[in-house]
Amino acid sequence: MTTAAPGAQALAYEWIKFRSVRSTVWTTAATAVLPVLGVVFVATTGSLQSDDTVLGGSLTLSVVAQMLAAVVGALVVTGEYSSGTIRTTFAARPRRATVLAAKAALVAGVMYVLALASCTLAYLVGDALLPEGRYAQGEPLPALFGIAASFAVAAVLGLAVGTLVRHSAGAVTTVIGLLLLPSLFGPLFGDAERWIAGLSPTAALEKLTQTSDAAADAVGSLGPWPSLLLVAAYTTVLTLGALVLLRRRDV
């Protein structure tokens, strides 16, 4: 008789907890639904700008959906601190690195799959509903894979922040701030604005969606894929920092 590897067991336990908590389930569902609702609204109201693309217009609400993905990542860990079940988790799995890795793999995997399906569906709906020939099409491939990856990165970023803060309200506020503040405060940095403004998952997402709002002064001068890699890099560093504190702090 063989037993599952510790990592696989930890991932299975995290999946059970994930789908048994209403807040994470409903927030995840909203993340998946928003892009499709956004394109229906845009097509119905005719509110798409003339210089936008079908891909960008179809994913009008993808930035909000990405924020919800980050919130899901935060709730996966802060919910356990709030309920006290984190003690049971660490009693069953004393290796905290395994627990954090399982949570990261879970939220990244779930958000990637859901975002890829939802954003692809939103694009197909937009292509069908928006007037043919009026807008540039955009290049959905391989952009949709990068868009899904940006959701996964945002979820892991939320997880890292939640691990550091350990309080749901504080973690949600902090991670949304990390997503929004670079573009809000970028103009204060003068010539560095084009770099500062691009230091968030939302900036990488807007570049990948090829929306007309993705001007260099608003989302930075890096290309979409380098921007996504930069965000993934500092998210990894932040997650490793969260792991160090997780090992040193008491529950």
Side-chain angles (χ1 to χ4, degrees):
M1 180 178 179
T2 59
T3 57
Q9 289 181 338
L11 186 60
Y13 294 152
E14 291 302 327
W15 171 241
I16 293 172
K17 289 184 288 185
F18 182 91
R19 58 189 175 87
S20 64
V21 178
R22 289 183 180 180
S23 59
T24 55
V25 171
W26 283 108
T27 309
T28 300
T31 303
V33 169
L34 268 180
V36 179
L37 292 180
V39 67
V40 172
F41 175 81
V42 167
T44 302
T45 60
S47 56
L48 188 61
Q49 299 177 24
S50 59
D51 61 344
D52 215 329
T53 63
V54 173
L55 178 62
S58 299
L59 299 180
T60 296
L61 290 185
S62 61
V63 170
V64 180
Q66 187 191 60
M67 292 179 188
L68 291 180
V71 169
V72 170
L75 292 178
V76 162
V77 63
T78 60
E80 288 202 66
Y81 277 106
S82 298
S83 64
T85 56
I86 194 71
R87 295 183 177 86
T88 304
T89 296
F90 288 149
R93 294 286 168 189
R95 297 190 64 176
R96 298 186 179 186
T98 301
V99 174
L100 187 60
K103 289 181 182 295
L106 177 66
V107 296
V110 168
M111 288 304 159
Y112 183 89
V113 172
L114 283 182
L116 182 60
S118 176
C119 292
T120 299
L121 177 60
Y123 168 70
L124 294 175
V125 171
D127 190 40
L129 295 182
L130 292 172
E132 185 176 357
R134 182 178 298 181
Y135 306 101
Q137 195 70 23
E139 298 179 5
L141 295 176
L144 285 167
F145 294 105
I147 290 166
S150 76
F151 275 68
V153 170
V156 176
L157 179 62
L159 176 69
V161 171
T163 304
L164 291 169
V165 177
R166 302 196 295 184
H167 186 273
S168 295
V172 169
T173 301
T174 301
V175 73
I176 291 179
L178 287 175
L179 267 62
L180 294 179
L181 290 181
S183 60
L184 294 177
F185 286 95
L188 300 179
F189 291 87
D191 293 339
E193 176 185 358
R194 296 164 70 90
W195 292 90
I196 300 298
L199 293 177
S200 75
T202 57
L205 174 61
E206 289 183 338
K207 295 172 188 177
L208 287 163
T209 61
Q210 301 150 46
T211 174
S212 60
D213 295 329
D217 59 348
V219 294
S221 56
L222 283 176
W225 295 100
S227 184
L228 179 59
L229 288 175
L230 176 62
V231 173
Y234 76 66
T235 297
T236 301
V237 172
L238 188 63
T239 304
L240 292 175
L243 175 59
V244 171
L245 285 181
L246 185 65
R247 285 173 162 172
R248 292 180 178 179
R249 292 191 302 196
D250 294 331
V251 177

